[in-house]
Amino acid sequence: SQQGEEDPQALSIQEGENATMNCSYKTSINNLQWYRQNSGRGLVHLILIRSNEREKHSGRLRVTLDTSKKSSSLLITASRAADTASYFCATDAGVRNNDMRFGAGTRLTVKP
Amino acid sequence: SAVISQKPSRDICQRGTSLTIQCQVDSQVTMMFWYRQQPGQSLTLIATANQGSEATYESGFVIDKFPISRPNLTFSTLTVSNMSPEDSSIYLCSVGGGKWETQYFGPGTRLLVL
């Protein structure tokens, strides 16, 4: 079953603008990961943030985690047309096997 | 990191038939996972496949419909049995846990059932 919700479901911005996507989850976690998926292809891992971390950066990506609110956000700065994709957050169930539970995803469109 | 390949990359099948999807990892892993992604939807875990034991299925998925094999530490198969159009999805295998915190995904198998 899915772990959480993401908003917005779809986001359309102009190239150069920043894009912020949010993710909420329901249970305790060990870590939270963000993935990108282009046009129904495989998932590309973007960034992992552990439950004891509050913020993490990777290039133009910034991820925050608020375990008290059970929420995370992904910020993409200075967006490019190539950033057009679906973005998913995923949490480890923290119970067994390291299987991941995925949010519904945000469809990001960056217009050139 | 892990490099994962899947075969076939896509297929079009007739209802009532079965398709076996292969997943190969470039290193030995204890656990492999199979996910389904229905059109326009997120990923849903089907089952966890441990080498040397029966796969563990998530609620809503049963072994008769999705039999899984795990003959060694680098390979697994998922069979979609007695297919119907509702089985049209992308099926992805992944590995993670243990020496990796990150979960790595294969490129997926896009299945269309007519």
Side-chain angles (χ1 to χ4, degrees), chain B residues 61-83:
Chain B
F61 298 97
V62 295
I63 188 171
D64 290 346
K65 176 67 176 177
F66 297 102
I68 288 171
S69 79
R70 185 77 204 277
N72 58 54
L73 290 173
T74 63
F75 187 78
S76 178
T77 67
L78 170 77
T79 298
V80 186
S81 304
N82 188 25
M83 289 183 285

Side-chain angles (χ1 to χ4, degrees), chain A residues 61-79:
Chain A
L61 305 180
R62 173 177 169 258
V63 168
T64 63
L65 179 65
D66 187 335
T67 53
S68 67
K69 296 180 179 179
K70 290 186 169 59
S71 66
S72 175
S73 67
L74 170 67
L75 169 67
I76 304 175
T77 60
S79 64

Side-chain angles (χ1 to χ4, degrees), chain A residues 71-92:
Chain A
S71 66
S72 175
S73 67
L74 170 67
L75 169 67
I76 304 175
T77 60
S79 64
R80 305 166 182 168
D83 294 329
T84 295
S86 292
Y87 292 81
F88 297 92
C89 70
T91 56
D92 79 1

